[in-house]
Amino acid sequence: MSDVAIRAAGLAKRYRLGAKQARYRTFRETVRGLAGAPMRALRRLGSGAPAPEHVWSLRDVSFEIKAGDVVGVIGRNGAGKSTLLKILSRITEPTDGWAEIHGRVGSLLEVGTGFHPELSGRENIWLNGAILGMRRNEINARFDEIVAFAEVEKFVDTAVKHYSSGMYLRLAFAIAAHLEPEILLVDEVLAVGDLAFQKKCIGKMSEVAATGRTVLFVSHNMATITALTHRCLLLSGGRLVKDGPTLEVVRDYVAEAAATGGKLVWPEGERPGDESCRLIACRLGDQTGRSTFSSDDVISVELEFEVLKESHGLRVGFDLISSEGVLIFRSYHDDLVREPPPVSPGRYVSTGVIPRNLLNQGAYFLTLRAGVHAVRQVFRLEQALSFEIVNVVGSNSQYGGVRPGILNPSVEWSTVVES
């Protein structure tokens, strides 16, 4: 018997730009639509209308995953990661190629996927178990554990349409992880959960992986990818560009991203944020947006944003992240202000400075973020900017090579001779 859990060959998916999602139709409407399709096609040809434009979300993706493997899938936004998981979950059909899956599949792709909004939490647990092909006694054995993990004991008999997004997510993950599918597909939906729940989920996925089940995990969090997986697939532009050990693939991905430049400007209408604040631009180093520095350079991080209405507690800043996905530190524009005043409407430029002789050689990410403290998140842009430290001076210059560690501070020493 083959030990392959997932096999994909030449997978491709094409979407038509501007196409509307078809509504559900009756059988009569479907037959009528099919009968009229040739005439509609002729009218389009006669009118001289341009042919619809298409985009390939996946192109010629092939791989094999063995049973019990825990594999990460990484890549920039729009690389095709979520499309791949939707095809493997049979939510959408490939345009070309094929995939075969050996075993029951549990998937967590979007908040509420697979839930019927009119059914209660209890009924949705039963529904999902039945879809996975589980018997009544199997679902019964796991029911209390699922409810306790999701922390929805008081609401288990309430229709899930009344659940908050956090309750949806907790219950969806609990079902996917506890009903014991042989294959678990998890998208980056976990990013919307709070920190405590994310830690809980990561712990559960580690437990699932330890039992020998197959896990395919999509995430922008490199620390989680490196902690959970031993193998990684890197997608770029819909194609599989690298497949190998996780640390090696993550380093290549980070190095490639670091070479893309240290400047982003958003046109009006596409600026991240909400009705209170919008991000206009971000730059590293200077107005040109440098992406390469020496260790003795001062690295400035400039955030240009617009406040649309007076905000109390608005904080704008960034996370500095290593090539392995480790959070080095987080900083906000009001860190040194004891009692931040209200921020009035207007255009602002805040500049934070990463001190010289702090970082070691390597590639780094900046995740840009803004929010109102303890109230809401305004925006969070994962790995929006990147840069590289290529020349370490000072502590490493005497002997050459790179000293181990993420940080490489110039520590002041004094030595005295004691007789």
Side-chain angles (χ1 to χ4, degrees):
M1 182 185 237
S2 172
D3 61 348
V4 174
I6 303 174
R7 179 182 286 117
L11 272 185
K13 181 64 180 180
R14 184 180 67 177
Y15 291 102
R16 193 176 78 182
L17 294 180
K20 296 180 180 179
Q21 185 172 350
R23 65 179 178 86
Y24 291 106
R25 299 190 297 178
T26 65
F27 178 72
R28 178 183 297 176
E29 289 172 327
T30 302
V31 172
R32 186 183 301 157
L34 290 172
M39 289 303 297
R40 288 195 299 274
L42 286 173
R43 282 197 295 270
R44 280 197 299 270
L45 288 173
S47 67
E53 188 178 353
H54 294 83
V55 61
W56 289 91
S57 182
L58 283 181
R59 291 295 298 264
D60 194 26
V61 173
S62 302
F63 59 86
E64 285 188 0
I65 297 176
K66 293 185 178 181
D69 280 356
V70 183
V71 180
V73 183
I74 62 175
R76 299 181 71 86
N77 290 332
K81 307 183 296 297
S82 295
T83 300
L84 174 62
L85 260 60
K86 286 178 180 177
I87 290 175
L88 297 179
S89 300
R90 295 186 176 90
I91 291 174
T92 187
E93 291 290 326
T95 305
D96 200 4
W98 53 270
E100 61 181 32
I101 298 179
H102 302 276
R104 292 189 307 213
V105 177
S107 58
L108 182 59
L109 307 184
E110 295 175 4
V111 176
T113 299
F115 281 4
H116 192 298
E118 299 295 337
L119 298 181
S120 68
R122 182 187 302 275
E123 291 163 335
N124 272 289
I125 293 173
W126 283 96
L127 175 63
N128 277 263
I131 290 172
L132 284 173
M134 300 188 72
R135 296 183 177 88
R136 176 183 292 271
N137 62 335
E138 292 179 291
I139 301 173
N140 268 334
R142 304 296 256 165
F143 185 87
D144 290 341
E145 192 176 346
I146 290 171
V147 174
F149 186 94
E151 301 172 10
V152 294
E153 293 93 336
K154 294 181 180 179
F155 310 98
V156 70
D157 291 310
T158 301
V160 298
K161 67 180 180 181
H162 299 302
Y163 283 17
S164 67
S165 59
M167 292 167 65
Y168 250 109
L169 177 59
R170 292 199 301 270
L171 184 58
F173 183 86
I175 292 172
H178 287 82
L179 290 182
E180 298 188 346
E182 284 91 358
I183 301 169
L184 182 60
L185 308 178
V186 183
D187 205 344
E188 55 200 349
V189 65
L190 295 185
V192 306
D194 58 51
L195 185 60
F197 178 69
Q198 288 182 36
K199 290 181 178 178
K200 195 174 181 179
C201 290
I202 298 305
K204 185 61 184 178
M205 280 197 290
S206 299
E207 184 183 315
V208 167
T211 63
R213 283 180 276 171
T214 307
V215 179
L216 196 59
F217 180 48
V218 168
S219 179
H220 281 298
N221 189 324
M222 296 301 108
T224 304
I225 287 286
T226 53
L228 280 180
T229 70
H230 59 84
R231 174 186 168 196
C232 203
L233 309 179
L234 173 59
L235 296 179
S236 179
R239 296 183 181 274
L240 179 61
V241 296
K242 194 168 184 64
D243 177 357
T246 294
L247 284 177
E248 179 183 323
V249 175
V250 166
R251 288 194 183 107
D252 286 354
Y253 170 55
V254 173
E256 178 190 355
T260 59
K263 179 179 179 180
L264 282 174
V265 180
W266 287 271
E268 194 165 354
E270 298 179 16
R271 292 169 179 168
D274 61 14
E275 71 282 353
S276 65
C277 176
R278 296 281 179 183
L279 183 61
I280 299 171
C282 51
R283 304 173 187 88
L284 285 178
D286 51 35
Q287 289 293 315
T288 62
R290 293 174 58 189
S291 61
T292 304
F293 299 88
S294 293
S295 63
D296 61 345
D297 286 332
V298 170
I299 304 173
S300 62
V301 182
E302 183 183 282
L303 300 178
E304 183 179 351
F305 57 96
E306 183 178 15
V307 176
L308 304 174
K309 63 181 182 180
E310 185 172 275
S311 298
H312 296 262
L314 177 67
R315 317 180 80 194
V316 178
F318 62 85
D319 292 346
L320 179 63
I321 301 169
S322 75
S323 60
E324 285 78 24
V326 177
L327 175 62
I328 301 171
F329 68 80
R330 174 175 298 168
S331 182
Y332 289 106
H333 82 288
D334 63 352
D335 279 349
L336 302 180
V337 180
R338 184 177 294 275
E339 294 184 10
V343 183
S344 301
R347 202 156 176 158
Y348 296 82
V349 176
S350 286
T351 304
V353 174
I354 300 173
R356 65 177 45 137
N357 296 323
L358 175 67
L359 300 178
N360 209 341
Q361 183 170 308
Y364 298 87
F365 283 129
L366 286 174
T367 289
L368 308 178
R369 55 193 310 128
V372 177
H373 180 61
V375 177
R376 72 178 188 280
Q377 178 175 282
V378 175
F379 62 77
R380 183 177 70 184
L381 306 177
E382 298 280 355
Q383 304 166 4
L385 293 180
S386 54
F387 65 93
E388 191 168 9
I389 302 292
V390 296
N391 179 31
V392 176
V393 297
S395 58
N396 283 343
S397 58
Q398 185 176 357
Y399 299 105
V402 178
R403 182 167 291 180
I406 296 172
L407 299 181
N408 186 35
S410 292
V411 179
E412 293 187 12
W413 288 75
S414 64
T415 304
V416 297
V417 178
E418 294 186 353
S419 56

